[in-house]
Amino acid sequence: MLVPSLVDGLLLGFVYGIAAMGLSLIWGVMNVINLSHGPIIALGMFGVYLVFNAIGLNPYLTLVLVAVMGLLLGILIYWVAVHRVINAPHLSTLLATFSVNMIIVGIGTAVFTTSPRNVDFTLGSIAFGPITLPWTRILAAVAAAVVTALLYLFLYRTPPGKAIRAVTDNRAAAELMGIPTNWMLALSFGLGTMLAAISGGLIATFFPFTILAGGSYELKSFVICVLGGLGNPLGALIGGLLLGALEGIIPAFMETSWVPVLEFILFVLILLVRPQGLLGSKT
Amino acid sequence: MSKQLKSPGLWISLVIVAAFGLWPVLAGNKAYARETTFTILKAVALASSLNILLGYTGYVSFGHIVFFGLGGYVGFYLMRQYNAHLALAVLAGGLSAALLAFLLGKAILRLRGAYFALATIGVNEAVRAFIKNFDPLGGPIGMTLNFQVYKAYGGPDRALWIAYIATALLTLVIVLVSFLVKTSRFGLGLMAIRENEDAAEVMGVVAPNAKTWAYVLSALFPGMIGVLFFFKNGNIEPGDAFVLHQSIEAIVMVMLGGQGTVLGPIVGAAAYQRLRGLLLVSPLFKNIQLAVAGVLLLVIVLFVPAGVIGWLRGRFPRLRRVLE
């Protein structure tokens, strides 16, 4: 009984890891906590839902479109909300991204209402011995792994990726080297939101959702980020797996509605005991 | 202390709140005026309390409504199970909220800036999930007050008025407390923490203690107001008590009016409630109320971070004595 939900949790953990990676990237590069993370995940869910219902396109193909839209949205959010306050005290960036959160949720609630939506997409299941797994979960984990690999390739093998890493290390020096740091920051923000949107699209293939669903995933992303270490994308992935495993095990011992309480306790514990996370943060 | 009490800024704030409070007594349609003003006063109290933490100490709390909800639950429980008098319930609600703040503060106040904010987001969700599962407090359905309870206060109408007057008085007290904190050494320590916590500690401010006291003080009054609110309501449930939305609105109100001032939260709360009232009746904006609040907050944070009162104080230095 425990093993199937553990495996299930692990697969889900991959997707959580992608979402957390997006948050961790933005946090690590520009020290900004993107409080609009949750609604952007929800927008990714809606993106897949709308395209699937409109033209029946395979959700995994729609993910590409959702990713591009997420990237553009992130760049827009950076220029509108974050750019002016990036050097201001933390409070300002928190409130700025939070207001974007409110705007997205507000408009989303008006346009989509809060009735739950579902992407009617199933590929059947496959049995591995005693465990039966839906194909959507397996493919979501695979997609998450592919996205992680692509992200690493981008950050370590391409010029813009290297530029982003340079800006992370030392923004002033990067600027002196001729890197347009503002655009690099915008790009990183866009990448972060892109990852969030992708994870939302993947989650839409197996859970029903509303525009408010992003909130709980946002909380999970925070927990994962501090668990794995800030600014450390690999740490985010591993943290995601851990949290997924935890969520798989918990229902065996207590009701699932206690999960937010446990996640919060875990969050506070890590910050008190090992604030740099399991894999160490970028600084 | 007596010198502080002579400050025109304090009296202007108190007079404005008192004017709000007196309006339903003098107005025509008393019940409607009373309910509208109750909402405004509740907003003023919440915003002023949050200001102690957000404005003076510089620590953003996204889940402040948790104290309102918890205080409400404790007070409500006492009135329902033990037939406690309203005054006792209000006191108990406030003290339990303060206790929660004290315990939470021990855990999360050592987290700096952004981490503290994230922790407060989690607190609200966690407490709501906890109450939903905790059956003695009614679980997901909540609790209801037996209508007979109102008899003890002279009938439902009188009970509503008593709750209203209590709220108005509490709001006056919180504004006074806010002013006293601002002009005291304690408040100076808080503002030093806001500007640079490490430097403040070097200068002798015992930051952990000061922050804890600020947090406790900012939780006490929402707890009391919560009891009064749910006493009026007659019932309480997790969905009503821990509306994250209201924490957000409190932040917008504080930022709009001017964080770190006494008059700011009052102005911000009144203006925001008026705006909200206008939006709710307009068919176009009814559904995107949250989005409008978001745009408002974004504009404030980007362009006028000091809020209305803060901007006025910066622009017209002569007015600083008056606009505390």
Side-chain angles (χ1 to χ4, degrees):
Chain A
M1 190 52 224
L2 200 59
V3 177
S5 44
L6 182 62
V7 174
D8 203 47
L10 279 173
L11 289 177
L12 204 55
F14 268 105
V15 183
Y16 291 159
I18 293 285
M21 264 203 283
L23 189 67
S24 185
L25 188 66
I26 297 176
W27 205 329
V29 172
M30 61 190 93
N31 232 330
V32 165
I33 298 179
N34 181 15
L35 289 179
S36 58
H37 190 69
I40 296 177
I41 296 177
L43 282 180
M45 297 174 177
F46 270 100
V48 167
Y49 170 80
L50 289 170
V51 172
F52 184 76
N53 280 11
I55 58 178
L57 187 64
N58 185 315
Y60 299 106
L61 291 176
T62 323
L63 273 179
V64 177
L65 176 66
V66 164
V68 170
M69 298 300 292
L71 179 69
L72 293 174
L73 181 64
I75 294 178
L76 177 68
I77 293 176
Y78 175 83
W79 281 115
V80 169
V82 180
H83 176 65
R84 260 188 84 103
V85 289
I86 194 131
N87 291 317
H90 265 141
L91 177 58
S92 303
T93 52
L94 277 177
L95 290 176
T97 51
F98 192 72
S99 56
V100 174
N101 177 321
M102 288 160 72
I103 294 172
I104 298 178
V105 171
I107 298 181
T109 322
V111 173
F112 296 118
T113 76
T114 49
S115 42
R117 309 294 178 113
N118 209 345
V119 175
D120 280 325
F121 179 76
T122 43
L123 290 171
S125 321
I126 182 172
F128 286 109
I131 316 168
T132 317
L133 295 167
W135 269 112
T136 44
R137 300 274 183 128
I138 300 175
L139 286 178
V142 168
V146 167
V147 168
T148 314
L150 286 174
L151 182 70
Y152 258 96
L153 268 177
F154 175 77
L155 283 178
Y156 285 87
R157 294 297 170 94
T158 63
K162 291 182 190 175
I164 290 178
R165 282 168 43 224
V167 170
T168 313
D169 279 341
N170 189 327
R171 187 179 170 184
E175 186 83 44
L176 287 171
M177 290 290 119
I179 296 173
T181 54
N182 281 327
W183 276 106
M184 287 302 117
L185 290 177
L187 182 61
S188 340
F189 202 92
L191 284 175
T193 54
M194 181 180 88
L195 290 169
I198 292 175
S199 73
L202 288 172
I203 294 175
T205 58
F206 36 79
F207 288 147
F209 59 91
T210 69
I211 190 80
L212 303 170
S216 68
Y217 296 109
E218 187 175 346
L219 182 59
K220 291 186 219 286
S221 299
F222 291 145
V223 179
I224 295 170
C225 275
V226 294
L227 184 57
L230 271 185
N232 192 331
L234 186 64
L237 196 60
I238 295 184
L241 290 173
L242 276 173
L243 194 75
L246 209 64
E247 283 194 354
I249 300 175
I250 284 174
F253 300 110
M254 57 179 86
E255 284 178 48
T256 40
S257 31
W258 283 105
V259 167
V261 184
L262 286 165
E263 285 178 349
F264 171 70
I265 295 175
L266 181 65
F267 181 68
V268 175
L269 269 175
I270 298 169
L271 283 175
L272 290 177
V273 170
R274 197 181 155 87
Q276 67 271 40
L278 291 174
L279 266 73
S281 56
K282 86 167 159 94
T283 45
Chain B
M1 171 109 156
S2 57
K3 186 161 177 243
Q4 285 173 302
L5 288 177
K6 286 200 193 126
S7 156
L10 169 65
W11 289 105
I12 290 187
S13 311
L14 288 177
V15 162
I16 292 180
V17 176
F20 271 124
L22 281 174
W23 178 49
V25 177
L26 307 168
N29 187 349
K30 289 205 181 346
Y32 168 77
R34 183 192 65 212
E35 293 309 308
T36 321
T37 321
F38 186 87
T39 317
I40 298 181
L41 288 176
K42 171 187 153 205
V44 169
L46 266 174
S48 293
S49 304
L50 182 62
N51 184 43
I52 295 179
L53 189 67
L54 171 62
Y56 298 155
T57 324
Y59 272 66
V60 196
S61 170
F62 281 108
H64 219 67
I65 203 73
V66 78
F67 302 116
F68 178 83
L70 187 83
Y73 255 98
V74 169
F76 203 88
Y77 182 75
L78 288 175
M79 283 197 287
R80 184 171 174 273
Q81 293 294 115
Y82 302 106
N83 242 323
H85 190 270
L86 182 64
L88 184 65
V90 166
L91 206 60
L95 288 175
S96 55
L99 182 65
L100 176 69
F102 182 75
L103 294 171
L104 263 183
K106 284 285 162 211
I108 63 178
L109 273 174
R110 45 174 103 180
L111 305 174
R112 287 295 175 93
Y115 295 106
F116 175 79
L118 294 184
T120 58
I121 294 181
V123 168
N124 200 53
E125 290 301 310
V127 173
R128 182 179 358 178
F130 178 78
I131 299 258
K132 241 201 208 163
N133 288 310
F134 195 57
D135 282 323
L137 286 177
I141 333 170
M143 302 183 279
T144 324
L145 263 190
N146 191 335
F147 212 68
Q148 304 286 49
V149 164
Y150 294 127
K151 252 203 197 154
Y153 305 98
D157 195 53
R158 261 202 84 191
L160 287 176
W161 276 106
I162 291 176
Y164 173 77
I165 294 174
T167 308
L169 289 172
L170 270 179
T171 312
L172 281 170
V173 169
I174 179 70
V175 169
L176 178 65
V177 166
S178 180
F179 177 80
L180 287 175
V181 166
K182 187 178 180 196
T183 52
S184 69
R185 257 191 88 160
F186 171 61
L188 200 58
L190 292 181
M191 290 191 262
I193 294 175
R194 177 186 69 199
E195 298 302 319
N196 189 328
E197 189 159 344
D198 296 312
E201 289 200 287
V202 167
M203 295 306 287
V205 176
V206 184
N209 291 353
K211 287 191 288 187
T212 309
W213 277 116
Y215 201 33
V216 165
L217 202 57
S218 74
L220 179 67
F221 291 96
M224 292 192 198
I225 302 273
V227 179
L228 289 168
F229 179 80
F230 289 108
F231 171 72
K232 265 177 31 74
N233 247 24
N235 91 325
I236 185 169
E237 49 186 85
D240 284 336
F242 300 103
V243 186
L244 187 66
H245 191 61
Q246 290 191 348
S247 295
I248 299 164
E249 291 190 327
I251 298 176
V252 178
M253 290 190 270
V254 173
M255 295 299 291
L256 173 61
Q259 40 146 331
T261 64
V262 176
L263 198 51
I266 303 173
V267 167
Y272 183 76
Q273 291 298 330
R274 184 92 186 93
L275 177 67
R276 191 164 161 267
L278 286 172
L279 288 178
L280 282 176
V281 287
S282 151
L284 175 63
F285 289 105
K286 175 159 57 106
N287 292 322
I288 59 169
Q289 181 206 337
L290 193 59
V292 172
V295 171
L296 187 62
L297 183 61
L298 186 62
V299 168
I300 295 169
V301 168
L302 289 180
F303 300 109
V304 199
V308 169
I309 299 291
W311 182 81
L312 283 173
R313 280 168 61 98
R315 183 82 175 74
F316 303 109
R318 292 262 180 83
L319 289 181
R320 280 187 197 160
R321 277 199 64 209
V322 174
L323 294 177
E324 266 289 350

